[in-house]
Every structure is written in structure tokens, then in C-alpha cells.
Amino acid sequence: MKKLINDPADVVSQALLGMAAAHPELRVDHENKIVYRGDAPVSGKVGLISGGGSGHEPLHAGFVGPGMLDAACAGEIFTSPVPDQMVEATKRVDGGAGVLHIVKNYTGDVMNFEMAAEMAAAETGVEVASVVTNDDVAVQDSLYTAGRRGVGVTVLLEKIAGAAAEQGRSLTEVADVARRVNEGGRSMGMALTSCTVPAAGQPTFELPETEIEIGIGIHGEPGRRRVPHVPARQVAEYLLEPILADTDFSGGDGVIAFVNGMGGTPLLELYLMFHEVAGILEKAGVRVARSLVGPYITSLDMAGCSVTLLKADEDLLRLWDAPVRTPALRWGV
Amino acid sequence: MKKLINDPADVVSQALLGMAAAHPELRVDHENKIVYRGDAPVSGKVGLISGGGSGHEPLHAGFVGPGMLDAACAGEIFTSPVPDQMVEATKRVDGGAGVLHIVKNYTGDVMNFEMAAEMAAAETGVEVASVVTNDDVAVQDSLYTAGRRGVGVTVLLEKIAGAAAEQGRSLTEVADVARRVNEGGRSMGMALTSCTVPAAGQPTFELPETEIEIGIGIHGEPGRRRVPHVPARQVAEYLLEPILADTDFSGGDGVIAFVNGMGGTPLLELYLMFHEVAGILEKAGVRVARSLVGPYITSLDMAGCSVTLLKADEDLLRLWDAPVRTPALRWGV
Amino acid sequence: MTGAGADTVDLDALGGWIREFARLVGEHRDELTRLDSAIGDADHGINMDRGMTAAIAALDAAAPASAAALFKKVGMTLVSKTGGASGPLYGTLFLRVGATAGEVDELDGPGFAKALRAGLDGVVARGKPEAGDKTMFDALAPAVDALDAGLDEGASLGAALRAASAAADAGRDATIPMQARKGRASYLGERSVGHQDPGATSVALLVAAAATALGGPGQR
Amino acid sequence: MTGAGADTVDLDALGGWIREFARLVGEHRDELTRLDSAIGDADHGINMDRGMTAAIAALDAAAPASAAALFKKVGMTLVSKTGGASGPLYGTLFLRVGATAGEVDELDGPGFAKALRAGLDGVVARGKPEAGDKTMFDALAPAVDALDAGLDEGASLGAALRAASAAADAGRDATIPMQARKGRASYLGERSVGHQDPGATSVALLVAAAATALGGPGQR
Ligand SMILES: Nc1ncnc2c1ncn2[C@@H]1O[C@H](COP(=O)(O)OP(=O)(O)O)[C@@H](O)[C@H]1O
Ligand SMILES: Nc1ncnc2c1ncn2[C@@H]1O[C@H](COP(=O)(O)OP(=O)(O)O)[C@@H](O)[C@H]1O
Ligand SMILES: [Mg+2]
Ligand SMILES: [Mg+2]
Ligand SMILES: [Mg+2]
Ligand SMILES: [Mg+2]
């Protein structure tokens, strides 16, 4: 394993030191591994916190700033953060209008955020609402599993709910917007290579030169099936087919289409994939209202990509277009 | 070789189709492989064009937009674009105030841009100035080589010269700013892995699991030496030592410090590297006035990074902070 | 290593259980992570080791004065330091064990068994596992049942714990053919079959540690 | 394949030179790229093949009416389609060859040699290579010298071209021990020693193609 790190045990804390140095507009609580927007708490605004295992950068800390998150809690690599972090963040971003916890649907994340909400209720008077993202159509039979995973839609949700909070909407309203985004969003991912967790020191799975893995999550969890390595056009079909089979995205105000890189994929390939995705959507009668292309929810050094579609309506598009100023997403400001 | 592509021969053209679909605010001339800002030519403004081999995304097309480039010419992977493209771009971005060609110092790029300038002079009345970036301190003995390579400083230069042009400065003034940036900037890069050129189908060089390559360029050119794989702290020293030995960056208005990813390196590691770089700079009495961390001038799927320091002064910092709105760099707007 | 009477365990012995568990987790760290890389995200050994190392450090910093304090400290530390699924699950387990054990400085067999069952109930409350879901529950539930059964049949705590440990091992092995329905492994569907559950494996270490530390001297 | 007289080459033969060069480049595409991956950026074969394929397509589209038109078309196409260092270098080479050859439909030996030297001068004007820099110059210059020398000594064009081809091959081989001072390979410093220059290798193909296509029938 070759990585630009010192000690596998210190990767997250040292990266946070780098984030603090590179982004003076943010505040970092190194002890609790929390990144805050510099002006938190914003009085009268619903506070948004998210968090999860590290290794998905820029998610979540790269999305802290006006128009998106108020705070992000960083866990160890691929390991949910702990309730103490979320409780601390909840206290510090509460501007009197309550706090929304944005949680990706993984057993560990859900349980830790649940405990945090219980503890916050007991220790503080802050009103907390939670929304769990679960957009990954690779997980079928969700009755017999931990349910669909939260993946790409998390990025879109943090942006859109962040804009709703910035507008001064109430906690209930912001949580509603967030749930609407989650319900209208579906994703599917694939890997050309495994990632390597620093502490493990070797690839999480082995994938021969001739095969790719379809339906992977963002933690190096193996996918649902291996298929021969095929051209990008076919990969786009593998990813979109189950998404379009799951939900009708045609008509209406179109979709926000998001082609995401897994960390080790060049932008050149992501744009090429976006071209293929756009072509399939056009044939399927799905209008692309907005788009996002880049590595936004990654899996360390994994080569691969995911596609997320989010059903748009006028409100969501207005919130999507609203100003955002974070290290990784920035427009309109 | 596993990549998200269809045919190695079509990578660049299909990625440009994706760019066009993802960025309706840009215009793409697919025949000539040129990306323009949507409102080019901007009357009375100096036009900025750059270009080079593809495979370095987001450089250059990702930097087209208000406050940065007016057009970018995309060559084949790692192959300079041809004069016809540059001539065409020059004509189309000329707003009457002349056009600046931003060229990275590689034999092919320099010769093709030279021919383009000759052809533009012959075919059109457009006033053309050129600036060549050559910031890579890995190239020593530049008397006995093709000279230092143009690497990371190109990104900073395109941003700063773009701001100067946006302010309405004249071609001579914009070219002066650009040369000042190039003279004040130095870079050094390293690789954990080789990149793989799609048409070649296999890694350009072999690097064992235990070794890293110091002083690489951005085209999979092997570096100046191989050393055992060392922790990030030591890597930062390997990169900064020759930069600081080359030029005195202490005092004054500090530096713009840029830690760049080579395409296959997770953001987490880049932030960790930035922490190490900031630590060394502090010890060396170099003040970090501004910073940039991310994959901005890449080498396909190579894992590795480069560090660029640019001597700042008040004018350059003001230009750096000025609004920019491009796919890959965006702030202040 | 047991307390005053053969069937009573004092605070030292209970602390010894935690320390022996931490030692076993450290020893099996890579194995637990390897199991997790087959059907999860390759961190179970790392998580448990981080959590237990912190728990031992917390115990070293100040010796708890009661069983309640001891297990609360372990539980809180695991919640605060472990992360992932195992943090809340093992954390809740020990918090419930402590709450049920109470402000005492020793436990008899039935008292320990009652506390451990409370821990199991905590795991169920937190993670909603059912038998056959291929989780830590599938090793812990049989172990708690075996402990109760042994004591009911009049066995010594040591003998009952050794039976519990054997039951945990069997429960752990029984996870191999199961298809996971909870946790990350469930995403694999049928591909989870044929792999041993990491959490069930660490639970087997937990119960083995109890047999070693609380099962009486020289009786392993 | 030669023209009317044994020492005159007509447009067909000159076009045949280009086609034979394109064929050889296609055949040696991977070898050229492999050489470039050792000391460059792994694209010389790809570049040359793209450029020459386009040049042949341009010639196929409309047959040029003179040597000037033929080589101008080849040169312009190479400039427009090749990119990299080889585009301007080979492009300038052919543009100068064409400008010197002039509006004729055949060339005699000295006429061809003069045109080729003009091409060499174009390469020098464009890239500023010097002898020993480990570039295409190191194969092209000896070839042009050998061609002139052969014709001066009264050899037939065919014999002189075969001598030129041998000189180009020797020049190409002589690049192996050189340390590069121009182009990408120069960045490697001493590590460029021991590798054959890709551009010198393609030049050897260019001159070999001339010997084949312009050297008279059955004399290879
Ligand atoms: N809902 C659940 N109920 C009980 N145990 C569970 C549940 N989900 C997961 N587990 C246990 O947790 C183990 C994984 O723990 P760990 O790897 O530390 O956490 P994570 O899955 O968050 O990476 C599994 O092997 C399983 O035994
Ligand atoms: N300044 C120069 N003068 C003459 N020939 C050069 C010069 N620089 C490079 N070359 C030739 O160009 C060849 C490389 O061509 P190519 O790989 O197509 O371009 P690039 O280096 O831009 O990738 C080298 O092998 C060398 O022979
Ligand atoms: Mg985990
Ligand atoms: Mg090249
Ligand atoms: Mg795990
Ligand atoms: Mg080359």
C-alpha cells in the first residue's frame, strides 16, 4: 500500500489539520473531529449537521459553509463517528431554531446518530430532527437487508436542505425538504478497482484486470455482481437501468443528474461517463435540468463512479441554484 | 488497463461532449476541440487562451469562464494541440484588445503555439502575446535540457492573469502579470504510481510497491530519482527542499501555497500533505497568504501530488481573490 | 482469579474480564478485520481494538468503585471511542450490564448471568437483530442461554461460563452458512454465505474472556 | 517505382515515398510508442500514426499536381493533425521540402537531395537541435550528408538513398548512449542514457521508405 500518509492511525486527524490550515473560513475542533462554518451558530437558522466515516472526501467536511452544512463530524476511515461528536456539534450549531441530523443509512451511522439524538435530548434542550438517506438501488430486497445504503443523494440533499435552512425555513420544513430529496433520489455505483483502507494495508477486495464490480457501496463493500470489463457506454447502462426501473424519472421538471467519481477516477473519464449517461437519459425521455460531475462522495482511492438521479421540481431547483460557499461546492456567492 | 472509456481513440472528443452537456454556460467547438466561455469574445477585454495535451483535467477546459480563460484547446492525451486549434481560438476570443497565449514549457507545446502565433499573425490582424510557464524545479541544469517544465504555476497564472484581463488591463499589462507569476512560482511533483495512457494500454513506467518517484512531470515522464516509500512528512520535505533552495520565499507578502493531486490521489491525502507542507513552511519563515488544495493539474490516474509556491504581492493577491466562475475554480461571484 | 467464594466474582475479576477481552481483541485484531473485509468494510478489528484500548486506559486512569461504575465506564468509553456498528452495540451491552449489576463490588453467578442477559437485551434493543441474521447476536444469545442453563442445572459459574463459551463458539461457527440480513454484510445478499461474521467472532472472544477471567483458577 | 530516367523520381514515386513511410510508421507504431515510454510520454508512435494516416487520407482525397503541392499537403496535414513535438518538426520538414522542390512534377537526384536538406534545415529552425542532443536530428543529419556525399561521388539516387538509409540507421543507433538535451527525454538527465530516441527511430523509417520508394526497382 502506497499512500501519502504518516501513520494509518493519524490520517483523519492530520487531514483535519490540513483542512483547518487551507480553509481559515472554517473552524475545526480537532479533539472532537468536527468542522464548523466559521460563523456557527447562525442565530434563528436551523443548524445542519452531518457526518460519517472518513474516506469519502469532500463529503462531509468539504460541504460545510453558508448554504450547506453548519458542521460535519468526521469518523475514522469508513467508521461512523461517535455520539459525543454529534452531541457536541449539535450544541454548537444550534441557533435556536433546532438542528437537523443528516445520516446515511448504515447500521453504524444510524445507531450512533440515534444515540446522539437521545443524548442531546437528555443533555440539552435542542430540538433535533433526523433524516436518513437511502438511495442506493444496488441494494435489492431491502426487507431482508439493513435497507438501501445512503450514497450520492446525500450530497444533493445537503446542498438543497442547506439552502432551505439558509432561507429561514423551520426545522419541520427543512426536514421535509430533505425527506423529499431522499425520496426522489436514486443511485447506483461501480468499481474498476478496490480501495485500500490505510489501517488494513491491502485492497479490501481483489478485482482482476478483466472484471468490474457493479453495485458497490462507498466503503469497499463488494458489489452485487462481477461482470467483464466493458466500455463506458455499457457501464452507464448497467448503472442507469436499475435506477430507471426503480423510479419513473421522465416528464415533470426533469432531474438533477450527478456523475460522481470514487476517488481514483480522472475527471476526463467522469465527463465521458456523463456524456453516456446524458445519452441514455435522452432516449428514456428524462430531461436533465441540472448536473454535477466530479468526485464528491468518494471511497478513498477506488477507481469507479456512481450515478445519482434526483427528481426535480421548481422548489428543489430553486434551492439547488441558491448560493453555496463551501470548500467543495461553490456557486452564486 | 481498466478505464471508463469506450475507445482509446475517442476519449478526448467524448469527454468534451460530456463537458458540453454538463456546462451549458460554456460553448464547445467539437470539431476543433476548443472550449469557450459562453460570451466570448468579450469586447475590449484581452482574450486568454491556453491549451495542451489532455489528461490534465480540469486543466485547461475546467478553467474557462469569467475571471479566467476565454478558451482552451484540447490536444490528444498528453499531446500538444495543433496550431489550427489555437489560431481558431485566437480569432474567436479576440475582443479587440489582443490575445494572450498561455503555454506550458514543453517542446511540442512551445513549437505548436509558436506556429500558431506565426499563422495568426499572417492570417489575422489579432495582436498575440505569449507567456511560457516553466516552474518545475525537478528539472535542473536547464541549460542542458528543454528547460524547466510548466506545471502547477500554470493554474495560478491562468487565474491571476484572467483576473487582470477581466479588470480591463492591456495585453502588455496582462502578459506582464503572467510573467511575474511565472517568475515567482516554483513547483515539484512526485508519484506513488505511474499513469496509464489509454492508447498505450499499460502503465508508462513500473514502480514497485516499495518505491516512489520524485521529480516527475505531468505526462508520466519518469522523475529524477526513485527513493523508498516514505511517510508524507518526508515526501513534503523532498518536494519543498528543492523549491526553497531555488528561490527565497520568506518575508514579503507570503506565498500562495498549492498542493495539487495527480488524479488518483484522495483529497484526504492532499489535505494531510497540505498540513505537512504548512508545517515546513512555517519553520522556514514562509507565510502562507492563500492556499489551494485539490486535483487541478493532473496526470490521468496517477497517484501522487505536487507542491507549488508562488511569491505573493498585494497586486497578485488582489487578483487571486477576484471573482472567478469556471467549472473547476469558483469564488467571489 | 475469581473472588472470595468460588462462585462469586469481585471487582478485580470483573475488571480482569474486560482486560482479558481487550487482550484477545488485540491478538485477533487482524483476523477480525480480515473477516470484515470479506463481507463488510474491513474495520471490525480496528474498531474493537481502538475501543477496548480506550476502555482499558479509562480503567487505568481511575479504578471504578462498583460493578455499575466499572461497566458504565467501559460502555461509555466504547460508545465514545469505537464508532461503527460495534460502538453502539458493545457500548449498549456494557451499559446495560452495568445498570443491572448495580452498585455492588461483587456478583454471584445468577447476578452475573442476569447482567449479561440485560446486555444481550440491550444489543437487541439497539440493533434489532433476530436469530439467524448473521450478527453478533447469533453468538451472544446462545452463550447467555447456556450460562443460564448451566447455573439452573447447578453448575459452578466457571463450568457454566465454559459451556457459554462453547455455545458462543458454536454460534459463531453457525454464522458461516447464514445469509446476512443485518449490517453491512446484508448488502451482499447470497454472497455473504460462507463467511464467518466478524461481530459473532468478537463476541466469542468476549465470552471466552469471561470463562478465563471469571471461571476460577486453573480450570481452563 | 522510379520515374522516367533511372535517376529521376516522378510524382507517383514521391507519393509512394510518403505512403511507404506511413506504412512503416503503422507497422512500427507500438515500437515507437514503447521507445517513447522509456524516455518520454509514450505517444510518439500514436502521434506519427495519427498524422501520417491523415496525410494519406488528404492525398487520397485529391491528387496533388506538383511536388510543391504534394509536400505542402503532407506538411500542413502533419502540422494540423499530429500535435506534440513531432507535428511541428515533421510538418516543417515537409513544408520546407515542398517549398524547395517547387512546382515540378519530377525531381532528379540533386533536386531531391536539396529539398531534403531544406527539410533538415527546417527541423533545425523549428527545434534548434544540435548534433548529439539525442533527437531526430541525429538520424536525419547523417542521412542528408550521406545522400549528398553519394550523389557527389556519382552514385545513383538509389545507391545514395541506400547509403543515406544506412547512415540514418547508424545515427538512430548512435542515440542510444547519448544523454538527451532536447525534448522530453532531457528531463531524465543521465537516466536517458541507454535508450534509443523515438524520433530518430521514425526518421530512420522515413529514409528507409525513401530508399524503397525512390531507390529504383528491385535494388533493395
Ligand atoms: N443490526 C445489528 N444488530 C446486531 N449486530 C449487528 C448489527 N449490524 C451489524 N452488527 C454486527 O456488527 C459487526 C460489524 O461491526 P463493525 O465492522 O465494527 O461495524 P461497521 O459495520 O459499522 O463497520 C457485524 O459483524 C455484526 O456482527
Ligand atoms: N527540440 C527538438 N528538436 C528536434 N527534435 C526534437 C526536439 N524535441 C523533441 N524532438 C524529437 O521528438 C521526439 C518526440 O516526439 P513525440 O513523442 O511525438 O512528441 P512529444 O515529445 O511532444 O510527446 C523525440 O524523440 C525527438 O526525436
Ligand atoms: Mg465500518
Ligand atoms: Mg506527447
Ligand atoms: Mg466494519
Ligand atoms: Mg512523446
Side-chain angles (χ1 to χ4, degrees):
Chain A
M1 171 193 63
K2 287 194 284 185
K3 290 184 181 289
L4 293 168
I5 63 175
N6 293 304
D7 179 334
D10 298 333
V11 172
V12 176
S13 56
Q14 294 183 349
L16 284 176
L17 288 168
M19 267 214 98
H23 301 290
E25 73 280 13
L26 303 177
R27 260 182 309 132
V28 179
D29 172 349
H30 293 286
E31 175 159 353
N32 287 301
K33 299 203 175 96
I34 309 175
V35 176
Y36 297 96
R37 57 186 270 190
D39 56 354
V42 182
S43 170
K45 187 184 89 66
V46 170
L48 262 65
I49 76 170
S50 189
S54 294
H56 308 302
E57 291 65 27
L59 187 87
H60 299 273
F63 299 138
V64 173
M68 214 160 163
L69 298 178
D70 292 81
C73 305
E76 289 302 318
I77 305 272
F78 290 174
T79 300
S80 163
V82 298
D84 307 45
Q85 294 173 276
M86 300 150 189
V87 172
E88 182 65 27
T90 302
K91 286 185 205 158
R92 295 235 229 147
V93 307
D94 178 43
V99 174
L100 180 68
H101 288 186
I102 300 172
V103 188
K104 300 193 295 304
N105 188 37
Y106 299 96
T107 307
D109 294 64
V110 169
M111 292 193 300
N112 280 287
F113 266 101
E114 242 170 50
M115 291 192 90
E118 290 164 17
M119 286 158 69
E123 289 176 33
T124 71
V126 182
E127 201 187 343
V128 172
S130 297
V131 56
V132 177
T133 60
N134 63 342
D135 53 312
D136 188 351
V137 298
V139 180
Q140 300 160 320
D141 310 321
S142 52
L143 277 180
Y144 303 100
T145 64
R148 290 194 312 244
R149 296 174 289 222
V151 287
V153 92
T154 315
V155 176
L156 310 183
L157 186 152
E158 291 178 359
K159 164 67 187 83
I160 290 171
E166 210 75 42
Q167 281 187 348
R169 298 195 195 181
S170 72
L171 180 57
T172 317
E173 288 166 332
V174 174
D176 273 356
V177 163
R179 276 187 209 105
R180 202 140 50 83
V181 171
N182 183 56
E183 273 154 30
R186 292 292 184 277
S187 301
M188 178 89 177
M190 60 76 60
L192 296 168
T193 67
S194 172
C195 54
T196 298
V197 176
Q202 50 190 26
T204 306
F205 55 87
E206 287 299 334
L207 202 50
E209 262 296 299
T210 50
E211 285 179 12
I212 60 177
E213 183 97 19
I214 302 289
I216 46 116
I218 54 172
H219 302 90
E221 309 98 317
R224 292 207 57 101
R225 62 195 170 112
R226 281 182 186 195
V227 298
H229 179 34
V230 291
R233 186 154 309 151
Q234 181 69 51
V235 171
E237 270 163 25
Y238 285 158
L239 299 183
L240 277 173
E241 200 224 274
I243 293 177
L244 296 176
D246 184 283
T247 302
D248 180 14
F249 285 98
S250 65
D253 293 297
V255 299
I256 301 179
F258 170 28
V259 169
N260 173 62
M262 300 305 284
T265 304
L267 196 52
L268 190 72
E269 295 177 33
L270 297 180
Y271 276 118
L272 193 151
M273 277 299 298
F274 186 76
H275 166 59
E276 299 301 344
V277 165
I280 296 174
L281 292 180
E282 195 179 325
K283 271 194 220 120
V286 177
R287 198 170 76 78
V288 176
R290 299 290 186 279
S291 64
L292 186 66
V293 179
Y296 290 106
I297 170 170
T298 62
S299 190
L300 291 170
D301 54 346
M302 178 180 279
C305 70
S306 64
V307 174
T308 300
L309 298 187
L310 168 60
K311 223 177 202 149
D313 61 31
E314 252 183 61
D315 185 40
L316 294 191
L317 288 179
R318 247 196 314 267
L319 292 168
W320 177 254
D321 292 340
V324 59
R325 196 170 74 233
T326 71
L329 269 197
R330 230 171 325 183
W331 57 70
V333 270
Chain B
M1 171 192 63
K2 286 195 283 186
K3 289 181 182 289
L4 294 169
I5 63 175
N6 293 304
D7 180 333
D10 298 333
V11 172
V12 176
S13 57
Q14 294 183 348
L16 285 176
L17 288 168
M19 267 212 98
H23 300 290
E25 73 279 13
L26 302 177
R27 259 182 308 132
V28 179
D29 172 349
H30 293 286
E31 176 160 352
N32 288 301
K33 300 204 175 95
I34 309 175
V35 176
Y36 297 96
R37 59 186 268 192
D39 56 355
V42 182
S43 170
K45 187 183 90 65
V46 170
L48 260 67
I49 77 171
S50 189
S54 293
H56 308 302
E57 291 64 29
L59 188 86
H60 300 274
F63 299 138
V64 173
M68 215 160 164
L69 298 179
D70 292 82
C73 305
E76 289 303 317
I77 305 270
F78 291 174
T79 299
S80 163
V82 298
D84 306 46
Q85 296 173 275
M86 301 150 189
V87 171
E88 182 64 26
T90 302
K91 286 183 205 159
R92 294 234 230 147
V93 308
D94 178 43
V99 174
L100 181 67
H101 288 186
I102 300 173
V103 188
K104 300 192 295 302
N105 189 36
Y106 299 96
T107 307
D109 294 64
V110 169
M111 291 192 301
N112 280 287
F113 267 100
E114 241 171 52
M115 291 193 89
E118 290 165 17
M119 286 157 69
E123 289 176 33
T124 71
V126 183
E127 201 187 342
V128 171
S130 296
V131 55
V132 176
T133 60
N134 64 343
D135 52 311
D136 187 353
V137 297
V139 181
Q140 300 159 320
D141 310 321
S142 52
L143 277 180
Y144 302 100
T145 64
R148 289 195 312 245
R149 296 175 288 223
V151 286
V153 93
T154 315
V155 176
L156 310 183
L157 186 152
E158 291 179 359
K159 164 67 187 84
I160 291 171
E166 211 74 41
Q167 281 187 347
R169 298 195 194 181
S170 71
L171 179 59
T172 317
E173 288 165 333
V174 174
D176 274 357
V177 164
R179 278 189 207 102
R180 202 141 49 83
V181 170
N182 183 57
E183 273 155 29
R186 293 292 185 275
S187 301
M188 179 90 177
M190 60 78 59
L192 296 168
T193 66
S194 172
C195 53
T196 298
V197 176
Q202 49 189 25
T204 306
F205 56 87
E206 287 300 335
L207 201 50
E209 262 297 299
T210 51
E211 284 180 11
I212 60 177
E213 182 97 20
I214 302 288
I216 46 116
I218 54 173
H219 302 89
E221 310 97 316
R224 291 206 58 101
R225 63 195 171 109
R226 279 181 188 196
V227 298
H229 179 33
V230 291
R233 187 155 308 153
Q234 181 69 52
V235 171
E237 269 163 24
Y238 285 159
L239 298 183
L240 277 173
E241 200 225 272
I243 293 177
L244 296 176
D246 184 283
T247 303
D248 180 13
F249 285 97
S250 66
D253 293 297
V255 299
I256 301 179
F258 170 27
V259 169
N260 172 62
M262 300 305 282
T265 304
L267 196 53
L268 190 73
E269 295 178 32
L270 298 180
Y271 276 119
L272 193 152
M273 277 299 299
F274 186 76
H275 166 59
E276 299 301 344
V277 165
I280 297 173
L281 292 180
E282 195 179 327
K283 269 195 220 118
V286 177
R287 197 171 77 77
V288 176
R290 298 290 187 280
S291 64
L292 185 68
V293 178
Y296 291 106
I297 170 170
T298 62
S299 190
L300 291 171
D301 54 346
M302 178 179 278
C305 70
S306 64
V307 174
T308 299
L309 298 186
L310 169 60
K311 223 177 202 149
D313 61 33
E314 252 184 62
D315 185 38
L316 294 191
L317 287 179
R318 248 197 313 268
L319 292 168
W320 177 254
D321 292 338
V324 59
R325 196 169 74 232
T326 71
L329 270 196
R330 232 172 323 185
W331 57 70
V333 270
Chain C
M1 291 241 211
T2 52
D7 275 290
T8 308
V9 286
D10 62 13
L11 274 189
D12 264 9
L14 292 169
W17 173 35
I18 304 304
R19 287 173 196 279
E20 174 63 5
F21 180 43
R23 193 188 67 74
L24 286 174
V25 163
E27 198 173 290
H28 293 264
R29 180 178 188 272
D30 293 348
E31 180 196 337
L32 294 172
T33 295
R34 208 178 53 246
L35 290 171
D36 197 29
S37 69
I39 54 170
D41 61 348
D43 63 0
H44 185 60
I46 300 164
N47 291 344
M48 290 303 298
D49 192 39
R50 180 176 51 245
M52 290 308 299
T53 303
I56 300 306
L59 295 185
D60 285 345
S66 69
L70 169 71
F71 293 118
K72 184 175 180 190
K73 184 164 261 179
V74 172
M76 290 300 289
T77 308
L78 288 179
V79 168
S80 298
K81 299 294 177 191
T82 312
S86 33
L89 289 167
Y90 271 99
T92 302
L93 187 157
F94 282 110
L95 288 174
R96 297 283 183 103
V97 167
T100 301
E103 295 296 336
V104 298
D105 60 9
E106 57 173 38
L107 288 172
D108 59 10
F112 180 78
K114 195 174 151 207
L116 197 64
R117 181 163 295 279
L120 170 65
D121 292 346
V123 167
V124 171
R126 185 57 66 200
K128 319 266 178 315
E130 294 175 29
D133 279 357
K134 195 180 184 111
T135 71
M136 59 190 284
F137 177 92
D138 293 310
L140 188 56
V144 172
D145 289 346
L147 178 60
D148 280 348
L151 294 175
D152 280 356
E153 288 160 17
S156 70
L157 177 56
L161 280 172
R162 283 185 292 281
S165 178
D169 288 356
R172 171 200 66 200
D173 294 346
T175 63
I176 297 177
M178 293 176 185
Q179 174 168 338
R181 285 188 302 244
K182 286 274 165 9
R184 274 180 215 290
S186 68
Y187 301 133
L188 283 177
E190 288 170 7
R191 283 170 70 181
S192 65
V193 170
H195 297 278
Q196 181 173 312
D197 180 61
T201 309
S202 59
V203 158
L205 300 177
L206 176 75
V207 186
T212 303
L214 310 174
Q219 297 189 322
R220 260 235 100 174
Chain D
M1 292 243 209
T2 52
D7 276 289
T8 309
V9 286
D10 63 14
L11 273 189
D12 264 9
L14 292 169
W17 173 35
I18 303 304
R19 286 172 196 279
E20 173 64 5
F21 179 43
R23 194 187 68 74
L24 286 174
V25 162
E27 198 173 289
H28 294 263
R29 182 177 187 272
D30 294 348
E31 179 196 338
L32 294 172
T33 295
R34 209 179 51 247
L35 291 171
D36 197 28
S37 69
I39 55 171
D41 60 350
D43 65 359
H44 186 59
I46 301 165
N47 291 344
M48 289 303 297
D49 191 39
R50 181 176 50 245
M52 290 308 297
T53 302
I56 299 306
L59 294 186
D60 284 346
S66 69
L70 169 72
F71 293 118
K72 184 176 179 191
K73 182 163 261 177
V74 172
M76 290 300 290
T77 307
L78 288 179
V79 167
S80 298
K81 299 293 177 192
T82 312
S86 34
L89 289 167
Y90 271 99
T92 304
L93 187 157
F94 282 111
L95 288 174
R96 297 285 181 101
V97 167
T100 302
E103 296 294 337
V104 299
D105 59 9
E106 57 175 38
L107 288 171
D108 59 10
F112 180 78
K114 196 175 151 209
L116 197 64
R117 180 163 294 281
L120 170 64
D121 293 345
V123 168
V124 171
R126 185 57 66 198
K128 319 266 178 316
E130 294 175 28
D133 280 357
K134 193 179 185 111
T135 70
M136 60 189 283
F137 177 91
D138 293 310
L140 188 56
V144 172
D145 288 348
L147 177 61
D148 281 348
L151 294 175
D152 280 357
E153 288 160 15
S156 70
L157 177 57
L161 279 173
R162 283 185 293 279
S165 178
D169 289 356
R172 171 200 66 199
D173 295 345
T175 63
I176 297 177
M178 293 177 184
Q179 175 167 338
R181 284 188 304 244
K182 286 273 163 18
R184 274 180 215 290
S186 68
Y187 302 133
L188 283 177
E190 289 171 6
R191 283 170 69 181
S192 65
V193 171
H195 297 278
Q196 181 172 313
D197 180 62
T201 309
S202 60
V203 157
L205 300 177
L206 176 76
V207 186
T212 302
L214 310 174
Q219 297 189 325
R220 260 235 100 174

